[in-house]
Amino acid sequence: MRSIIILGSSRNDGDTSKVVKLLKEKSDWDLIDLNDYDFSYYDYAHKNAGDDFLPIMRNIIDNYDMLIFATPVYWYSMSGIMKVFFDRITDLLEIEKDLGRKLRGKNMAALSCSIGNHLGDQFWLPFSETAKYLGMNYLGNVHAVINDSTNLEAETDKLEKFIALINTAEKSSH
């Protein structure tokens, strides 16, 4: 099973990107930065079917069994670009159903990053419920706190446990 981090942040050099860089260094996971692609909001008429969203999803679905979504916390929720990406999953239920069905049985996990430890369990609901709806296995999540008094090294133990969770799932699927 191959794993991929899907990064959705407004800044390529922000705290979430730093956490993702650390994850990549400690794992053999691949990375897709949503900022590198051009896709638009969900459209009921599917006039945007020719943008980058469907090719991104084909690549992910054809090559990876573990999807790790990484997002900063913006106003108690996932980032805007990550929300648009999640909204576009609807395309896989309407115009690309065969592709969407291939998500069944794949694994999902999530990582968030912010300056404080103020998340409740509600933050993870869009991830866990999307996984359930799509027939995916939701393995869990981790929140990294990066601020003036807490640096990335202080979060390393928590991140290593998250990596171990994903790697255990990878091994059990072989």
Side-chain angles (χ1 to χ4, degrees):
M1 172 177 22
R2 290 180 59 200
S3 299
I4 188 158
I5 303 167
I6 302 165
L7 174 61
S9 177
S10 293
R11 294 186 301 160
N12 291 337
D13 62 347
D15 292 335
T16 306
S17 295
K18 292 173 187 169
V19 172
V20 166
K21 182 180 178 191
L22 178 67
L23 285 176
K24 281 190 53 57
E25 288 172 3
K26 295 183 171 289
S27 70
D28 60 353
W29 303 342
D30 291 338
L31 171 67
I32 287 180
D33 185 339
L34 295 178
N35 285 325
D36 294 338
Y37 300 91
D38 183 27
F39 58 94
S40 63
Y41 300 99
Y42 174 73
D43 172 20
Y44 286 94
H46 307 292
K47 293 177 183 172
N48 56 5
D51 67 9
D52 290 342
F53 177 77
L54 291 173
I56 295 168
M57 288 308 298
R58 279 188 195 93
N59 175 40
I60 292 169
I61 290 169
D62 290 346
N63 295 297
Y64 300 95
D65 295 311
M66 177 71 222
L67 287 60
I68 304 148
F69 291 97
T71 180
V73 177
Y74 292 162
W75 288 100
Y76 313 101
S77 186
M78 67 178 75
S79 67
I81 194 168
M82 186 67 74
K83 177 66 169 97
V84 170
F85 188 81
F86 265 67
D87 287 348
R88 287 295 297 277
I89 291 172
T90 305
D91 289 352
L92 303 179
L93 306 173
E94 294 177 348
I95 61 172
E96 289 287 338
K97 292 179 184 180
D98 290 339
L99 185 62
R101 285 184 191 104
K102 292 180 181 178
L103 286 168
R104 290 182 189 151
K106 292 187 183 283
N107 296 306
M108 182 194 295
L111 167 126
S112 64
C113 183
S114 72
I115 61 170
N117 192 12
H118 51 271
L119 290 185
D121 291 337
Q122 303 298 335
F123 179 86
W124 307 109
L125 196 64
F127 299 98
S128 62
E129 290 301 307
T130 297
K132 185 190 316 181
Y133 186 81
L134 296 171
M136 299 176 73
N137 306 307
Y138 187 71
L139 300 181
N141 41 260
V142 65
H143 178 68
V145 177
I146 311 295
N147 58 38
D148 293 338
S149 62
T150 307
N151 60 28
L152 187 55
E153 290 76 32
E155 297 293 277
T156 300
D157 184 52
K158 188 186 326 180
L159 295 172
E160 286 177 348
K161 288 178 183 174
F162 183 70
I163 292 167
L165 172 74
I166 304 305
N167 289 340
T168 300
E170 284 180 348
K171 288 176 185 163
S172 68
S173 70
H174 289 337

